[in-house]
Each structure stands twice: as structure tokens, then as C-alpha cells.
Amino acid sequence: MKLAVIGGGGREHAIIKKLKENPTAEIIYALPGNAGMAQDAVCVPVSASDLDAIVRFALENAIDYCVVAPDDPLAAGCVDRLEEAGIPCFGPRANAARIESSKVFAKSLMKKYQIPTARFEVFSSARDALQYLENAPMPTVIKADGLALGKGVVIAQNREEAFDAVREIMENKKFGKSGDSIVIEEFLTGPEVSVLAFCDGKTVKPMVSSMDHKRAHDGDTGLNTGGMGTVAPNPFYTDEIAQVCMETIFLPTVQAMNAEGRPFKGCLYFGLMLTQNGPKVIEYNCRFGDPETQVVLPLMESDLLTVMQAVTNGTLADCEVKFSQKSACCVIAASKGYPEEYEKGAPLTVPKELLPYCCFAGAAEKNGVLVTGGGRVLGMTALADTLSDAVKIAYARIRQVKCDNLFYRADIGKRALNAKE
Ligand code: AMP
Ligand code: GLY
């Protein structure tokens, strides 16, 4: 089979590595991929947002199956376009991707179908939002409605910060049209859990749980990032909690999307907070998470391509989705300065024997040499029988990466290990 994966980050590299395990996968194209993944895929310089070029490439190269991984092309209807052209795909259509691309839609869906989430109000005028904030309890959480590169959420500790956030998003249009509407919601506390789940529109099969580390620096300090490391499974997510989530969140969400005429097919990402009043949804994503995917897929024992095709064909109920009992840890190395300004172009060397454990993201090629080319540059993963060993091995591996413009957190997995004790 000829496969194509749309996207070019660490998540896409992890998907490609897993797809490669299927012996029928004769060639895997990455559009656009990145220079670091060139030994696992054929990288094609087609942007993940150029839907015309993606469809043209898929037809001209007789692609048998296509995986659309990032949120932007999903929201723009990449799967709809490919399916119209007769190419089977993994990923939701645009009408279902809305569960991520509009927070107002997601929150309203949860309210309508009584899926547990933070209490909230929606505003489409800055004046009304500011007036509401005069008496709202603090801290509070302000979210731009649309996609904002993971930066559209502000936790305001006090009224001044809340006013500033509303003005930035709604008046100064910091995120453009994504800020035409906002959600202001209740501030929740508790451990966070990421659960990725395969859904074929009817059946939902969750993957092993994981824990992201979103802040840039140790001790959960610094700015929010796309994610600086992950561990799986998440020790806070017990079997009992998993059962509650299945009954109160996962199944109701899939049924709600169906009832709305937006069947969700693909990977549905549940960002959960385990509050004192039970698990609640913090966010939905319509795709695999990054770097969650870099710990979750290596633990998957079932064949990824087979499961993805079952999702596409609506036969997930009959398909086994099995995970190892081991633990995994992924440490992300990012360019110094990320998530703010950073330089690119620093030479990067990863020992050959570590390439099977390394997923490249912001990696580029200059004069035949691998160099840094983005914020998050690579993720190094390790599996072991215990989480403590997985963490140790992942760090032993990432220390062998040679580059003078990278940093990584030193405490990935620490909170999970403390929870286990
Ligand atoms: P998001 O960009 O939606 O992933 O949100 C970023 C982070 O903001 C989440 O991972 C949470 O840590 C935090 N967050 C979002 N919503 C809330 C909330 N209602 N209460 C507390 N923290 C939140
Ligand atoms: N790691 C969080 C995300 O993929 O959205």
C-alpha cells in the first residue's frame, strides 16, 4: 500500500514509525514531513494547508490511504476533499473537526448533552464580557473561540488580567477572527489527563492514558508550550476513573456528535481534569496530541494501520486495540528561547542507534547537515517495565543528542512518579 501522512511534526513522525510496522506499507509519504524523518518516510514539499496540492499529489501518486494529522487541515476540510476524490482517510470531516476548531461549539455541545465540563458563558461582544467580569469569581479562564496555535487560553488570576485578556483577544484581535467570540469559564483544579481514543462514529476505543507537561520550564513554570514531554500511562487515571469517563464523557460525546449529524471518525483527544467533583472535559482535540502520541503509539501492540482502516470502515467494534503494560516517557528538546523568539540553523547530531526512539519535529537540512528548524526540535522516547526506568532511559538518550542551541526540562515524569509513591 502507498500511504500518505499529512503534517510535519513529532506526532506525524510517531505515526509514520508505527505505520511502518505493517508489512503491507510499501511506501509512506510525509507532506511535508521534515528533514529528520527522511529515513522513515519520503518527504514531499507540499504544505499541510494546501488542500488542492494534497489532493493532486494523492491522485497522481495513487495513494491508497491517507492520515490527516494536524488540526488546521482537518478544520479546513482536508478529509472531505480527499474522500470526494475517492481516497480513504483517517481523520474527521470538517463538520466533526469543529469539536476542536470552535470552543463555543464544544462547550455548547457539552451543555446540551450534559457532559461534565467547567461552567461557562459565551460572549461575542467585548463590552458584555467586560461587564460580566466585574462580578465573576477569580481566578477565571478566558478562551478564544477558534484555533490559536494552542495559545488562546488565558488563566486570569485577578480582574485586571481578565480585562486585559478580553481586550487583547476581542478588541486587539490578537488571534484574528478566532477571537470574535470567547468563552469565559470556571477555573478548575485537579490532575490533568490526556486520553486519545479511536472513534468510528459509533464505537469508541480509548488508548492508554498519558500526562503532558505543558509549561516550558521545570516545576511547571514558564510559558505554556505545545508540550515539553509526556509519560504514559497516567497514574492518576485509575481503572475506576476510566470507567466513569467512558460512561459520562467518551460515549456521550460520540453519541452527541452523531445526534448532531457530525459523526466523529478519527482520533478524538479528551483533555480531562480530575476534579473533586469527578472528571471534567477541559478541551477536545480532533486529532492525536503531540507529544502524547510519542508515548502512546510505542505502547500500542495492535497494528495501527489495521485499526485506522477499521475506523474508516466503521468496523472498530470488531477490531482489537491492545496496549502493552509497560510505561513510556518522552522528553522534548526545544530551541533555546521557545516558545518565544529562538534561532534556527544550529547543527544537530543524534547517534544512529538512537534514531528508532527519536521523533523529529523542527528539524531542517542545510548544506547536507541536519540543523534545528523550529521550536520543538525532537522528542526522545523510552519504554520500560517501570515508569522510573522509562524516565531514566529517556534522559540517558536525550543527553546523547549533540546541539548547542537546545534545552529540555529535567523533571518530565516527576509528578507521575510522586503520585505513584
Ligand atoms: P488548552 O489550550 O485548552 O489545552 O488549555 C491550556 C491549559 O489551560 C490546560 O491544559 C489547563 O491546564 C488550563 N485550563 C484550561 N481550562 C481550564 C479550566 N477551566 N480550569 C483550569 N485550568 C484550565
Ligand atoms: N499536547 C497537547 C496537544 O497536542 O494539544
Side-chain angles (χ1 to χ4, degrees):
M1 284 181 78
K2 291 182 174 174
L3 309 179
V5 174
I6 311 303
R11 162 185 55 207
E12 287 75 10
H13 198 178
I15 292 171
I16 287 165
K17 280 179 191 281
K18 199 72 194 169
L19 288 172
K20 261 182 78 172
E21 292 177 6
N22 184 307
T24 70
E26 65 187 89
I27 185 161
I28 307 181
Y29 295 99
L31 282 60
N34 69 65
M37 60 170 82
Q39 60 156 7
D40 289 320
V42 178
C43 296
V44 183
V46 166
S47 158
S49 55
D50 189 345
L51 304 195
D52 289 335
I54 291 171
V55 174
R56 208 177 316 124
F57 176 86
L59 289 174
E60 282 171 2
N61 293 277
I63 297 301
D64 296 298
Y65 193 72
C66 187
V67 178
V68 184
D71 49 359
D72 282 330
L74 288 168
C78 190
V79 168
D80 310 51
R81 291 282 308 275
L82 285 163
E83 284 182 351
E84 280 160 23
I87 294 150
C89 287
F90 183 85
R93 294 186 184 160
N95 70 351
R98 198 160 166 75
I99 199 164
E100 171 169 1
S101 59
S102 168
K103 294 209 192 289
V104 172
F105 171 80
K107 295 295 292 192
S108 309
L109 184 87
M110 289 186 268
K111 190 175 202 170
K112 182 168 173 189
Y113 294 91
Q114 295 168 13
I115 296 164
T117 187
R119 280 195 300 269
F120 70 101
E121 299 288 338
V122 175
F123 297 95
S124 47
S125 109
R127 215 187 52 189
D128 293 349
L130 293 170
Q131 192 179 2
Y132 167 82
L133 285 170
E134 293 283 353
N135 297 308
M138 296 292 142
T140 191
V141 184
I142 294 161
K143 300 185 171 182
D145 175 42
L147 297 175
L149 296 169
K151 297 187 181 125
V153 175
V154 176
I155 314 269
Q157 297 299 333
N158 54 50
R159 239 166 277 286
E160 267 325 297
E161 285 179 22
F163 291 150
D164 282 349
V166 168
R167 290 193 192 105
E168 277 293 300
I169 297 172
M170 300 193 85
E171 288 176 354
N172 302 339
K173 295 281 176 212
K174 190 173 178 189
F175 307 114
K177 286 189 77 63
S178 286
D180 285 352
S181 304
I182 59 168
V183 171
I184 300 185
E185 69 177 32
E186 173 193 15
F187 176 74
L188 299 175
T189 53
E192 285 186 58
V193 183
S194 305
V195 179
L196 315 180
F198 292 106
C199 301
D200 70 352
K202 308 176 291 262
T203 302
V204 48
K205 296 212 170 167
M207 300 175 226
V208 64
S209 63
S210 54
M211 182 193 288
D212 195 3
H213 297 67
K214 284 203 166 125
R215 302 295 200 95
H217 301 296
D218 288 8
D220 294 323
T221 58
L223 292 172
N224 248 327
T225 70
M228 294 299 293
T230 37
V231 297
N234 184 321
F236 292 100
Y237 190 74
T238 61
D239 289 348
E240 294 74 50
I241 292 175
Q243 186 68 33
V244 172
C245 290
M246 181 53 101
E247 284 161 18
T248 64
I249 295 175
F250 305 159
L251 283 172
T253 301
V254 170
Q255 286 158 1
M257 290 298 279
N258 256 336
E260 295 292 311
R262 301 169 185 267
F264 191 98
K265 285 182 154 201
C267 173
L268 187 49
Y269 169 129
F270 298 88
L272 306 171
M273 195 171 270
L274 308 181
T275 76
Q276 294 214 306
N277 300 317
K280 296 194 179 182
V281 178
I282 288 284
E283 62 162 346
Y284 292 118
N285 292 324
C286 67
R287 51 173 175 81
F288 285 96
D290 196 3
E292 284 89 342
T293 306
Q294 299 186 45
V295 285
V296 169
L297 289 186
L299 290 171
M300 185 167 167
E301 289 178 341
S302 312
D303 176 60
L304 179 61
L305 182 57
T306 306
V307 176
M308 285 183 157
Q309 288 176 310
V311 165
T312 306
N313 298 333
T315 55
L316 183 61
D318 308 322
C319 181
E320 188 185 50
V321 181
K322 204 164 162 259
F323 283 82
S324 149
Q325 294 298 310
K326 291 188 178 186
S327 293
C329 173
C330 167
V331 182
I332 298 291
S335 295
K336 284 179 189 166
Y338 172 78
E340 295 184 283
E341 294 283 294
Y342 55 83
E343 282 177 16
K344 298 179 186 176
L348 176 66
T349 315
V350 178
K352 205 162 173 251
E353 64 277 15
L354 294 186
L355 290 176
Y357 315 107
C358 183
C359 288
F360 288 95
E365 200 183 286
K366 205 165 90 186
N367 306 326
V369 175
L370 196 63
V371 298
T372 58
R376 292 189 292 176
V377 172
L378 59 84
M380 197 63 89
T381 295
L383 304 191
D385 288 335
T386 64
L387 178 59
S388 139
D389 282 347
V391 171
K392 274 186 214 136
I393 300 168
Y395 275 105
R397 286 179 178 157
I398 206 156
R399 279 195 290 272
Q400 296 182 58
V401 172
K402 295 214 166 35
C403 179
D404 63 13
N405 196 40
L406 289 185
F407 79 99
Y408 50 86
R409 276 179 62 162
D411 65 346
I412 302 302
K414 197 168 171 190
R415 176 176 293 195
L417 287 168
N418 287 343
K420 274 177 169 284
E421 277 165 11

mmCIF file with all atom_site columns, all heavy atoms in Angstrom, residues 57-68:
data_model
loop_
_atom_site.group_PDB
_atom_site.id
_atom_site.type_symbol
_atom_site.label_atom_id
_atom_site.label_alt_id
_atom_site.label_comp_id
_atom_site.label_asym_id
_atom_site.label_entity_id
_atom_site.label_seq_id
_atom_site.pdbx_PDB_ins_code
_atom_site.Cartn_x
_atom_site.Cartn_y
_atom_site.Cartn_z
_atom_site.occupancy
_atom_site.B_iso_or_equiv
_atom_site.pdbx_formal_charge
_atom_site.auth_seq_id
_atom_site.auth_comp_id
_atom_site.auth_asym_id
_atom_site.auth_atom_id
_atom_site.pdbx_PDB_model_num
ATOM 1  N N   . PHE A 1 57 ? -1.559 15.543 -5.292  1.00 0.00 ? 57 PHE A N   1
ATOM 2  C CA  . PHE A 1 57 ? -0.475 14.590 -5.025  1.00 0.00 ? 57 PHE A CA  1
ATOM 3  C C   . PHE A 1 57 ? -1.041 13.189 -4.800  1.00 0.00 ? 57 PHE A C   1
ATOM 4  O O   . PHE A 1 57 ? -0.527 12.202 -5.336  1.00 0.00 ? 57 PHE A O   1
ATOM 5  C CB  . PHE A 1 57 ? 0.335  15.018 -3.788  1.00 0.00 ? 57 PHE A CB  1
ATOM 6  C CG  . PHE A 1 57 ? 1.402  14.028 -3.423  1.00 0.00 ? 57 PHE A CG  1
ATOM 7  C CD1 . PHE A 1 57 ? 2.660  14.086 -4.022  1.00 0.00 ? 57 PHE A CD1 1
ATOM 8  C CD2 . PHE A 1 57 ? 1.143  12.998 -2.520  1.00 0.00 ? 57 PHE A CD2 1
ATOM 9  C CE1 . PHE A 1 57 ? 3.634  13.141 -3.723  1.00 0.00 ? 57 PHE A CE1 1
ATOM 10 C CE2 . PHE A 1 57 ? 2.117  12.048 -2.215  1.00 0.00 ? 57 PHE A CE2 1
ATOM 11 C CZ  . PHE A 1 57 ? 3.361  12.123 -2.811  1.00 0.00 ? 57 PHE A CZ  1
ATOM 12 N N   . ALA A 1 58 ? -2.113 13.106 -4.014  1.00 0.00 ? 58 ALA A N   1
ATOM 13 C CA  . ALA A 1 58 ? -2.677 11.794 -3.676  1.00 0.00 ? 58 ALA A CA  1
ATOM 14 C C   . ALA A 1 58 ? -3.185 11.088 -4.933  1.00 0.00 ? 58 ALA A C   1
ATOM 15 O O   . ALA A 1 58 ? -2.990 9.878  -5.103  1.00 0.00 ? 58 ALA A O   1
ATOM 16 C CB  . ALA A 1 58 ? -3.801 11.958 -2.660  1.00 0.00 ? 58 ALA A CB  1
ATOM 17 N N   . LEU A 1 59 ? -3.805 11.844 -5.846  1.00 0.00 ? 59 LEU A N   1
ATOM 18 C CA  . LEU A 1 59 ? -4.325 11.231 -7.075  1.00 0.00 ? 59 LEU A CA  1
ATOM 19 C C   . LEU A 1 59 ? -3.178 10.832 -8.008  1.00 0.00 ? 59 LEU A C   1
ATOM 20 O O   . LEU A 1 59 ? -3.139 9.715  -8.527  1.00 0.00 ? 59 LEU A O   1
ATOM 21 C CB  . LEU A 1 59 ? -5.274 12.197 -7.786  1.00 0.00 ? 59 LEU A CB  1
ATOM 22 C CG  . LEU A 1 59 ? -6.630 12.405 -7.078  1.00 0.00 ? 59 LEU A CG  1
ATOM 23 C CD1 . LEU A 1 59 ? -7.442 13.499 -7.777  1.00 0.00 ? 59 LEU A CD1 1
ATOM 24 C CD2 . LEU A 1 59 ? -7.427 11.098 -7.023  1.00 0.00 ? 59 LEU A CD2 1
ATOM 25 N N   . GLU A 1 60 ? -2.233 11.753 -8.178  1.00 0.00 ? 60 GLU A N   1
ATOM 26 C CA  . GLU A 1 60 ? -1.128 11.479 -9.113  1.00 0.00 ? 60 GLU A CA  1
ATOM 27 C C   . GLU A 1 60 ? -0.273 10.309 -8.655  1.00 0.00 ? 60 GLU A C   1
ATOM 28 O O   . GLU A 1 60 ? 0.320  9.603  -9.457  1.00 0.00 ? 60 GLU A O   1
ATOM 29 C CB  . GLU A 1 60 ? -0.251 12.735 -9.276  1.00 0.00 ? 60 GLU A CB  1
ATOM 30 C CG  . GLU A 1 60 ? -0.884 13.763 -10.199 1.00 0.00 ? 60 GLU A CG  1
ATOM 31 C CD  . GLU A 1 60 ? -0.141 15.096 -10.193 1.00 0.00 ? 60 GLU A CD  1
ATOM 32 O OE1 . GLU A 1 60 ? 0.893  15.213 -9.489  1.00 0.00 ? 60 GLU A OE1 1
ATOM 33 O OE2 . GLU A 1 60 ? -0.623 16.015 -10.880 1.00 0.00 ? 60 GLU A OE2 1
ATOM 34 N N   . ASN A 1 61 ? -0.204 10.092 -7.335  1.00 0.00 ? 61 ASN A N   1
ATOM 35 C CA  . ASN A 1 61 ? 0.665  9.029  -6.818  1.00 0.00 ? 61 ASN A CA  1
ATOM 36 C C   . ASN A 1 61 ? -0.114 7.803  -6.356  1.00 0.00 ? 61 ASN A C   1
ATOM 37 O O   . ASN A 1 61 ? 0.441  6.939  -5.684  1.00 0.00 ? 61 ASN A O   1
ATOM 38 C CB  . ASN A 1 61 ? 1.542  9.573  -5.696  1.00 0.00 ? 61 ASN A CB  1
ATOM 39 C CG  . ASN A 1 61 ? 2.534  10.593 -6.218  1.00 0.00 ? 61 ASN A CG  1
ATOM 40 O OD1 . ASN A 1 61 ? 3.586  10.221 -6.730  1.00 0.00 ? 61 ASN A OD1 1
ATOM 41 N ND2 . ASN A 1 61 ? 2.171  11.854 -6.157  1.00 0.00 ? 61 ASN A ND2 1
ATOM 42 N N   . ALA A 1 62 ? -1.392 7.754  -6.727  1.00 0.00 ? 62 ALA A N   1
ATOM 43 C CA  . ALA A 1 62 ? -2.247 6.597  -6.424  1.00 0.00 ? 62 ALA A CA  1
ATOM 44 C C   . ALA A 1 62 ? -2.140 6.188  -4.949  1.00 0.00 ? 62 ALA A C   1
ATOM 45 O O   . ALA A 1 62 ? -1.905 5.022  -4.619  1.00 0.00 ? 62 ALA A O   1
ATOM 46 C CB  . ALA A 1 62 ? -1.893 5.423  -7.337  1.00 0.00 ? 62 ALA A CB  1
ATOM 47 N N   . ILE A 1 63 ? -2.327 7.173  -4.071  1.00 0.00 ? 63 ILE A N   1
ATOM 48 C CA  . ILE A 1 63 ? -2.272 6.902  -2.618  1.00 0.00 ? 63 ILE A CA  1
ATOM 49 C C   . ILE A 1 63 ? -3.469 6.024  -2.232  1.00 0.00 ? 63 ILE A C   1
ATOM 50 O O   . ILE A 1 63 ? -4.608 6.297  -2.600  1.00 0.00 ? 63 ILE A O   1
ATOM 51 C CB  . ILE A 1 63 ? -2.290 8.231  -1.831  1.00 0.00 ? 63 ILE A CB  1
ATOM 52 C CG1 . ILE A 1 63 ? -1.046 9.071  -2.150  1.00 0.00 ? 63 ILE A CG1 1
ATOM 53 C CG2 . ILE A 1 63 ? -2.417 7.973  -0.327  1.00 0.00 ? 63 ILE A CG2 1
ATOM 54 C CD1 . ILE A 1 63 ? 0.278  8.411  -1.831  1.00 0.00 ? 63 ILE A CD1 1
ATOM 55 N N   . ASP A 1 64 ? -3.190 4.966  -1.476  1.00 0.00 ? 64 ASP A N   1
ATOM 56 C CA  . ASP A 1 64 ? -4.256 4.046  -1.066  1.00 0.00 ? 64 ASP A CA  1
ATOM 57 C C   . ASP A 1 64 ? -4.932 4.480  0.233   1.00 0.00 ? 64 ASP A C   1
ATOM 58 O O   . ASP A 1 64 ? -6.082 4.135  0.482   1.00 0.00 ? 64 ASP A O   1
ATOM 59 C CB  . ASP A 1 64 ? -3.665 2.642  -0.849  1.00 0.00 ? 64 ASP A CB  1
ATOM 60 C CG  . ASP A 1 64 ? -3.120 2.079  -2.146  1.00 0.00 ? 64 ASP A CG  1
ATOM 61 O OD1 . ASP A 1 64 ? -3.909 1.903  -3.082  1.00 0.00 ? 64 ASP A OD1 1
ATOM 62 O OD2 . ASP A 1 64 ? -1.885 1.836  -2.216  1.00 0.00 ? 64 ASP A OD2 1
ATOM 63 N N   . TYR A 1 65 ? -4.165 5.188  1.094   1.00 0.00 ? 65 TYR A N   1
ATOM 64 C CA  . TYR A 1 65 ? -4.728 5.561  2.393   1.00 0.00 ? 65 TYR A CA  1
ATOM 65 C C   . TYR A 1 65 ? -3.970 6.776  2.908   1.00 0.00 ? 65 TYR A C   1
ATOM 66 O O   . TYR A 1 65 ? -2.735 6.835  2.812   1.00 0.00 ? 65 TYR A O   1
ATOM 67 C CB  . TYR A 1 65 ? -4.597 4.399  3.384   1.00 0.00 ? 65 TYR A CB  1
ATOM 68 C CG  . TYR A 1 65 ? -5.423 4.587  4.642   1.00 0.00 ? 65 TYR A CG  1
ATOM 69 C CD1 . TYR A 1 65 ? -6.801 4.476  4.591   1.00 0.00 ? 65 TYR A CD1 1
ATOM 70 C CD2 . TYR A 1 65 ? -4.818 4.878  5.858   1.00 0.00 ? 65 TYR A CD2 1
ATOM 71 C CE1 . TYR A 1 65 ? -7.569 4.659  5.734   1.00 0.00 ? 65 TYR A CE1 1
ATOM 72 C CE2 . TYR A 1 65 ? -5.579 5.050  7.005   1.00 0.00 ? 65 TYR A CE2 1
ATOM 73 C CZ  . TYR A 1 65 ? -6.954 4.937  6.931   1.00 0.00 ? 65 TYR A CZ  1
ATOM 74 O OH  . TYR A 1 65 ? -7.724 5.114  8.054   1.00 0.00 ? 65 TYR A OH  1
ATOM 75 N N   . CYS A 1 66 ? -4.721 7.714  3.457   1.00 0.00 ? 66 CYS A N   1
ATOM 76 C CA  . CYS A 1 66 ? -4.109 8.969  3.870   1.00 0.00 ? 66 CYS A CA  1
ATOM 77 C C   . CYS A 1 66 ? -4.483 9.276  5.324   1.00 0.00 ? 66 CYS A C   1
ATOM 78 O O   . CYS A 1 66 ? -5.642 9.132  5.713   1.00 0.00 ? 66 CYS A O   1
ATOM 79 C CB  . CYS A 1 66 ? -4.635 10.063 2.943   1.00 0.00 ? 66 CYS A CB  1
ATOM 80 S SG  . CYS A 1 66 ? -3.824 11.625 3.204   1.00 0.00 ? 66 CYS A SG  1
ATOM 81 N N   . VAL A 1 67 ? -3.506 9.688  6.117   1.00 0.00 ? 67 VAL A N   1
ATOM 82 C CA  . VAL A 1 67 ? -3.750 10.068 7.510   1.00 0.00 ? 67 VAL A CA  1
ATOM 83 C C   . VAL A 1 67 ? -3.559 11.579 7.613   1.00 0.00 ? 67 VAL A C   1
ATOM 84 O O   . VAL A 1 67 ? -2.479 12.084 7.317   1.00 0.00 ? 67 VAL A O   1
ATOM 85 C CB  . VAL A 1 67 ? -2.760 9.354  8.459   1.00 0.00 ? 67 VAL A CB  1
ATOM 86 C CG1 . VAL A 1 67 ? -2.982 9.794  9.906   1.00 0.00 ? 67 VAL A CG1 1
ATOM 87 C CG2 . VAL A 1 67 ? -2.876 7.847  8.319   1.00 0.00 ? 67 VAL A CG2 1
ATOM 88 N N   . VAL A 1 68 ? -4.616 12.279 8.001   1.00 0.00 ? 68 VAL A N   1
ATOM 89 C CA  . VAL A 1 68 ? -4.514 13.735 8.159   1.00 0.00 ? 68 VAL A CA  1
ATOM 90 C C   . VAL A 1 68 ? -4.360 14.015 9.651   1.00 0.00 ? 68 VAL A C   1
ATOM 91 O O   . VAL A 1 68 ? -5.281 13.789 10.431  1.00 0.00 ? 68 VAL A O   1
ATOM 92 C CB  . VAL A 1 68 ? -5.750 14.456 7.582   1.00 0.00 ? 68 VAL A CB  1
ATOM 93 C CG1 . VAL A 1 68 ? -5.574 15.969 7.680   1.00 0.00 ? 68 VAL A CG1 1
ATOM 94 C CG2 . VAL A 1 68 ? -5.996 14.033 6.137   1.00 0.00 ? 68 VAL A CG2 1
#
